[in-house]
Amino acid sequence: MVTPAPQGLPKTVRLLKPQEFSRVYDRRWSAAAGPLVLYAAPNEVPGAPARLGLSVSRRIGNAVVRNRWKRRLREAFRVVRRSLPPGTDFVIVVRSGQAPVGAAGGHAIAESIVALARRVGARPGYGRR
């Protein structure tokens, strides 16, 4: 059985600049579950697609482990991004552990992203400042 190739996540829906990450962190709307912490903030452009930033530190493991986490997170975000609130920027921080493997692992990551986004969005005052 051949595993389908990942479709990729265009750079237009990724946070790449340190200022973008800082803006999301400064809002301090976050939720955590397992090895993931999700930070969220409204984007400057309402209605723009949800965007993703990733933070995987060296303490998680060597370059192979960190890149595996990033690939898994980008793919999971690509799968669920249409179900996330538009006009929102997300930063996912990996706290520990090996990246889940296989289709079940990818599905678990995608479910975690959606659940964390719902928890952050349900907080009082989310989206206002």
Side-chain angles (χ1 to χ4, degrees):
M1 184 164 110
V2 176
T3 304
Q7 302 297 313
L9 189 64
K11 285 192 175 188
T12 57
V13 295
R14 290 172 45 199
L15 301 178
L16 301 171
K17 298 177 183 173
Q19 303 90 315
E20 296 170 331
F21 281 81
S22 294
R23 186 182 54 76
V24 175
Y25 289 136
D26 289 344
R27 294 295 179 125
R28 299 206 176 163
W29 289 310
S30 66
L36 303 179
V37 179
L38 181 130
Y39 291 87
N43 192 336
E44 290 94 15
V45 182
R51 298 189 308 167
L52 173 69
L54 299 173
S55 176
V56 185
S57 75
R58 284 188 188 168
R59 69 185 177 121
I60 299 305
N62 63 19
V64 173
V65 173
R66 293 191 312 268
N67 286 324
R68 185 173 295 134
W69 262 113
K70 290 187 269 188
R71 281 193 309 272
R72 298 297 286 198
L73 289 167
R74 279 192 300 266
E75 180 61 17
F77 184 80
R78 185 194 65 78
V79 169
V80 300
R81 75 179 173 156
R82 302 232 189 283
S83 64
L84 297 173
T88 305
D89 290 342
F90 296 100
V91 174
I92 298 175
V93 178
V94 179
R95 291 191 293 195
S96 64
Q98 292 286 328
V101 294
H107 187 66
I109 290 174
E111 286 178 353
S112 291
I113 291 171
V114 171
L116 291 171
R118 284 189 186 134
R119 281 178 43 198
V120 170
R123 298 251 166 104
Y126 176 75
R128 285 184 249 138
R129 262 226 175 156

